[in-house]
Amino acid sequence: MTVPSWVAQQPSAFDIVACYFPEKDVTDGGEIFKLRPALVLKVLKGKNTGSIACEVAYGTKNLKFVQRKNRDVIIQNAADLTIIGLAMATRFDLDNTLILPWSEKFFGCWTGYQHPKIGQLTEKYVKDYAYTMMLRQGIND
């Protein structure tokens, strides 16, 4: 089986990628969902193997704005959605993250794209993420 060329082009933190976000723990042979947007929180590189993995936050159209506004990254402004590369209002659930290998098993290309990367957070949303993480740290202390 041929590895897609995009696998050699790793994402960066705060990229938004198309991801087959597993429903269950991957080590338990979890089911794979349809491609969904996911926010890359960290890019990790194996010390010995050099293989790449990404910590990603699950993206959903179920905004739950009132309940989750200070717990997640929520993008709903139409202009921002266009700039960032999202088709609809999306909440990135920071309680629902996984570390996944950067491979075609967990990432794929939406129609019309040559790479799983579909966009990236703007500086405003990176600052919102940092603020949210600060609030979450205060809540968890």
Side-chain angles (χ1 to χ4, degrees):
M1 184 170 172
T2 306
V3 176
S5 61
W6 60 258
V7 171
Q9 301 166 5
Q10 71 187 51
S12 300
F14 307 117
D15 281 352
I16 297 170
V17 295
C19 177
Y20 297 107
F21 199 94
E23 179 180 12
K24 300 176 185 171
D25 187 346
V26 176
T27 59
D28 292 337
E31 277 184 42
I32 303 298
F33 276 174
K34 64 182 179 179
L35 276 176
R36 298 181 176 278
L39 174 62
V40 177
L41 302 175
K42 294 178 190 167
V43 178
L44 309 161
K45 185 173 185 175
K47 289 181 183 179
N48 297 327
T49 64
S51 61
I52 301 298
C54 303
E55 180 179 7
V56 294
Y58 176 77
T60 178
K61 63 183 177 185
N62 186 354
L63 299 183
K64 296 184 181 178
F65 187 79
V66 173
Q67 304 95 318
R68 303 297 299 184
K69 66 181 175 179
N70 292 321
R71 304 281 305 159
D72 295 325
V73 175
I74 300 172
I75 302 164
Q76 60 182 354
N77 177 285
D80 292 341
L81 290 167
T82 300
I83 291 168
I84 291 170
L86 293 167
M88 64 182 62
T90 303
R91 174 174 59 92
F92 293 102
D93 187 338
L94 299 176
D95 288 334
N96 195 0
T97 67
L98 288 175
I99 296 174
L100 300 172
W102 179 245
S103 70
E104 66 275 14
K105 180 175 179 181
F106 297 104
F107 299 90
C109 300
W110 278 346
T111 302
Y113 289 80
Q114 299 298 312
H115 192 280
K117 179 179 174 180
I118 56 176
Q120 63 187 35
L121 292 186
T122 62
E123 184 178 342
K124 174 198 177 306
Y125 284 101
V126 172
K127 288 178 182 178
D128 286 353
Y129 168 79
Y131 179 72
T132 298
M133 293 309 289
M134 182 190 72
L135 288 176
R136 290 171 67 92
Q137 184 62 37
I139 292 168
N140 293 328
D141 284 344

